[in-house]
Amino acid sequence: MAFARTCSVALVGVEGVVVEVQADLEPGVAAFTLVGLPDKSLTESKDRVRAAVVNSGAAWPQKKLTVGLSPASVPKSGSGFDLAVAAAVLGAAERIDPRVLADIVMIGELGLDGRVRPVRGVLPAVLAAADAGYEQVVVPECAAAEASLVPGVSVLGVRSLRQLIAILADEPVPDEEQDDQGRPDPLLAGLRVPGTGAATGMHSAGTAHDHGHDLADVVGQTSARTAVEVAAAGGHHLFLEGPPGAGKTMLAERLPAILPRLGRQESLEVTAVHSVAGLLPPGKPLIDVAPYCAPHHSATMQALVGGGQGIARPGAVSLSHRGVLFLDETPEFNSQALDALRQPLEAGHVVIARSAGVVRFPAKFLMVLAANPCPCGRFSRRDDLCECPPSVIRRYQARLSGPLLDRVDLRVEVDRITRTELTALGARGESTATVADRVRAARERSVERLAGTPWCTNSEVPGRELRSRWYVVPGAMDEAERNLERGVLTARGLDRVLRVAWTVADLVGHDRPDATDVALALQLRTGVPRGVPMTIGALT
C-alpha cells in the first residue's frame, strides 16, 4: 500500500489544532478525493497542488488518490494546507521517503508554478505545533522570521516546492530566481485582504506613535493630561467629553507612546492576533509596541468585537489587545455594538459563537471614549453658546448606557482652549518622554507589589483583593464611602476609585494611597472638584 502522512495546522481563532495530512494511493481510475471537512478554498487545493507538483518536475501519480485531514471533525479552512498535501502525495508516490515526512509540520500555499506563498496566522500555527511537541516546521521563506519567534522549533523556510523536494530527498537544492529588487513582493499580495480587519482604523503597529506626536503639543488640558497619565500607568479606561477642537483626539493618539513596551509574552499574543488578521507590518515579524486601533463610528458589531461569515475574524477589540482602543464620536456608534463591549471589558477576551464553531480571541485593551457634550458640541456649564433643546441633549447623552460608563474608571471634561492658552509662549506641558518615564516607574511599583499574583496592573485586581490584602491609609476612603451611601458611586464604582487611588500612589511614589490620592481618584471619576492639585508633579 502506498501511504504517507505529514502534519499541518488548522486555526480556530488564534488557537491552532495540529492536523495529520494523510495520502493514500490505490490502483484504479485516476482521481483525487479530499476528505476531512474542508472549506471551499481548501477543496480548490486539489488543482493547485496538482499543477504545482507537475511544474516542479515531479510526476503526478496516475492512480486513485485519497487525501484525508484528521481529525475529521475539526473544520478546516484556508490555503495553508497546500504544502502538506503536496508533500504527502509525493511521499505516497515514493518521490520522498515517507518516514522523513511523519514528524514535520508544513504550512504554506502553493502557486501553480510551485512557488510557496505565505499565509495568515503563521505564528499561532507554529505555537500550536510547538505545544503539540513537534520540533520541525516548514514555512514559506518570507515567513521564516515570524515562525522563528517560537523557541525550541527548527524552522525551514523554502521558496518553492522544488526546493522542498530536493531538501527532503537529500538532493542538490536548486536556486530560485529572486524577483526584481525595488518592486513589491508578489508573494505578500493577498495577506491584507479587505474585510479581515484592515478597515478597522488600525494604525501601523510596528512603529511607536510618537513620531511627530508629542504630549507637549497639547495646550492646556491639565485634568485630561493627568487622566491620560493615570490611564497609562494603571490600565484604566478613560472617557473624554468636550467640544470639538479641544484636543480629545490629540490626547488619545499620544497615549500609546507613553505606554511601556510590550514584554515577550505580550508581544507574542499581539503578533498572533495581527498575523491571523493579516496586519503584520512588512519586515517586522514581532510587534513590541502597544497597538492603537480607532474604528470609524459607522463600524458594525462584527467590526468591533469580531465575526464575519464562516470562521470568525478578530475585530477592533482584539486588534487593540495590549494596546489602546479609541472610539471617537462614541454616541454616534450603534448602541448594540457599544453594549457588546461590556463582556470583553470585564473578561479580557471575547467569545464568538458561529455555526462553524466557537472562537475565542484575546481582548485586554485600554478603552478611550471621546464624545461631544451635545449634537452641536457647544454645550458647557460655563457659557451659553449651545442652541440644542434640553431634550435633544439628554437623548444624545443617553446613547452611552450607564452600565458601559460604569466600567470606565476616569471621566474628564475637556474644556475649550482659550486664546491666552493657545498663544502663550513657553507654556508647553511635560513631554511624552518625561511622562513615559513616570508611567514606567509606576508600572514597576505595581508589578513588584503584585508579584506572585495573576495580575500585573491595578485595573486588573478585584476590589475584594484590594480591600483584604493591600490597605490604604486609615480614613483615606471615608469620602469615597460617603459617596457610595449618597448614590454618587456604585459598588463597582467604589472599587474602581480604589484601583485608581493605588495607581496615583504608584505615580507619586507613596507606599499606599492616602486621602489626597483618593481625592484625586474621586475627582477623576466623578468630575467634582475635591481641592487637590490636578498634576502628578504637584503631588510628589
Side-chain angles (χ1 to χ4, degrees):
M1 180 181 66
F3 176 83
R5 62 184 178 89
T6 187
C7 295
S8 190
V9 178
L11 286 177
V12 182
V14 292
E15 300 174 355
V17 178
V18 176
V19 174
E20 189 176 86
V21 181
Q22 306 166 348
D24 176 67
L25 286 174
E26 298 178 359
V29 178
F32 189 169
T33 304
L34 182 64
V35 297
L37 211 58
D39 72 342
K40 180 65 174 178
S41 62
L42 183 50
T43 303
E44 293 174 348
S45 69
K46 296 187 294 184
D47 299 319
R48 292 194 300 269
V49 169
R50 181 187 290 109
V53 168
V54 173
N55 290 328
S56 297
W60 183 259
Q62 298 300 317
K63 296 182 179 180
K64 181 181 178 181
L65 171 62
T66 303
V67 174
L69 308 176
S70 178
S73 59
V74 176
K76 303 164 189 72
S77 61
S79 56
F81 292 87
D82 289 3
L83 197 59
V85 171
V89 171
L90 293 173
E94 298 183 350
R95 177 63 178 87
I96 303 173
D97 188 352
R99 294 171 296 181
V100 177
L101 302 174
D103 296 324
I104 302 178
V105 175
M106 300 187 183
I107 304 164
E109 176 186 334
L110 285 176
L112 299 184
D113 57 354
R115 290 183 302 169
V116 181
R117 301 175 60 93
V119 293
R120 295 189 297 271
V122 169
L123 177 61
V126 177
L127 284 170
D131 291 340
Y134 290 87
E135 299 179 353
Q136 289 183 303
V137 177
V138 178
V139 298
E141 186 180 55
C142 54
E146 181 183 347
S148 299
L149 297 173
V150 182
V153 176
S154 175
V155 177
L156 173 62
V158 294
R159 190 175 301 164
S160 66
L161 179 60
R162 189 183 299 105
Q163 285 186 342
L164 178 62
I165 295 173
I167 293 173
L168 297 180
D170 197 17
E171 299 172 356
V173 180
D175 292 331
E176 296 290 346
E177 296 182 1
Q178 292 188 1
D179 295 307
D180 294 339
Q181 299 297 324
R183 295 192 309 174
D185 190 350
L187 294 180
L188 298 179
L191 289 187
R192 302 174 66 91
V193 178
T196 57
T200 55
M202 185 68 203
H203 285 198
S204 175
T207 58
H209 301 280
D210 56 353
H211 298 304
H213 293 81
D214 197 297
L215 199 59
D217 298 335
V218 180
V219 177
Q221 309 301 359
T222 304
S223 300
R225 289 172 58 97
T226 300
V228 167
E229 182 176 347
V230 172
H236 305 286
H237 305 305
L238 173 63
F239 177 39
L240 300 173
E241 185 179 28
K248 302 186 294 294
T249 303
M250 289 182 64
L251 287 164
E253 289 178 342
R254 284 151 179 78
L255 178 55
I258 64 177
L259 290 173
R261 298 187 77 88
L262 302 178
R264 177 70 178 182
Q265 184 60 36
E266 295 173 338
S267 297
L268 290 177
E269 293 175 4
V270 174
T271 304
V273 174
H274 287 74
S275 178
V276 169
L279 292 175
L280 279 183
K284 189 173 179 61
L286 183 66
I287 299 175
D288 57 357
V289 296
Y292 175 82
C293 191
H296 191 259
H297 62 258
S298 62
T300 62
M301 184 184 300
Q302 289 76 16
L304 282 180
V305 301
Q309 297 180 352
I311 298 298
R313 297 289 185 181
V317 296
S318 299
L319 295 175
S320 57
H321 179 60
R322 302 291 183 183
V324 177
L325 174 65
F326 177 49
L327 303 181
D328 198 7
E329 305 293 347
T330 310
E332 303 296 337
F333 279 80
N334 181 277
S335 59
Q336 292 182 344
L338 289 178
D339 288 337
L341 298 176
R342 298 186 201 173
Q343 186 260 346
L345 284 174
E346 292 288 339
H349 62 267
V350 59
V351 178
I352 304 170
R354 292 289 185 272
S355 60
V358 179
V359 177
R360 182 181 185 273
F361 290 115
K364 188 173 293 184
F365 55 91
L366 195 163
M367 182 178 68
V368 180
L369 307 179
N372 296 328
C374 66
C376 75
R378 294 180 291 179
F379 175 75
S380 174
R381 301 172 186 172
R382 298 183 178 181
D383 47 43
D384 193 20
L385 299 176
C386 177
E387 299 178 354
C388 300
S391 59
V392 174
I393 296 176
R394 286 194 301 269
R395 188 161 54 248
Y396 183 81
Q397 295 179 348
R399 294 180 182 179
L400 299 180
S401 65
L404 177 63
L405 290 180
D406 199 37
R407 289 166 168 81
V408 178
D409 302 343
L410 311 170
R411 306 175 190 174
V412 179
E413 183 175 345
V414 183
D415 298 326
R416 184 179 292 104
I417 299 298
T418 64
R419 175 184 177 182
T420 303
E421 292 175 328
L422 192 61
T423 59
L425 299 177
R428 289 165 59 91
E430 293 179 313
S431 65
T432 293
T434 302
V435 177
D437 290 339
R438 200 156 53 223
V439 168
R440 183 170 57 253
R443 285 281 184 111
E444 292 173 353
R445 292 189 186 98
S446 63
V447 168
E448 182 179 355
R449 181 176 63 254
L450 299 174
T453 69
W455 313 296
C456 297
T457 59
N458 294 319
S459 62
E460 301 172 352
V461 184
R464 180 188 67 256
E465 297 291 337
L466 277 179
R467 292 190 297 270
S468 60
R469 296 180 61 176
W470 297 282
Y471 300 101
V472 302
V473 173
M477 291 293 292
D478 290 349
E479 182 63 24
E481 293 169 356
R482 283 194 290 269
N483 278 264
L484 175 65
E485 294 175 352
R486 291 196 296 265
V488 178
L489 292 175
T490 63
R492 180 192 284 123
L494 183 65
D495 287 343
R496 294 185 179 277
V497 168
L498 183 56
R499 294 170 184 164
V500 174
W502 273 104
T503 300
V504 174
D506 289 335
L507 284 168
V508 176
H510 295 165
D511 293 334
R512 52 181 179 165
D514 57 17
T516 304
D517 300 331
V518 176
L520 179 56
L522 269 174
Q523 183 165 336
L524 291 174
R525 171 77 182 184
T526 63
V528 179
R530 306 284 172 171
V532 295
M534 284 304 296
T535 57
I536 298 298
L539 296 176
T540 54

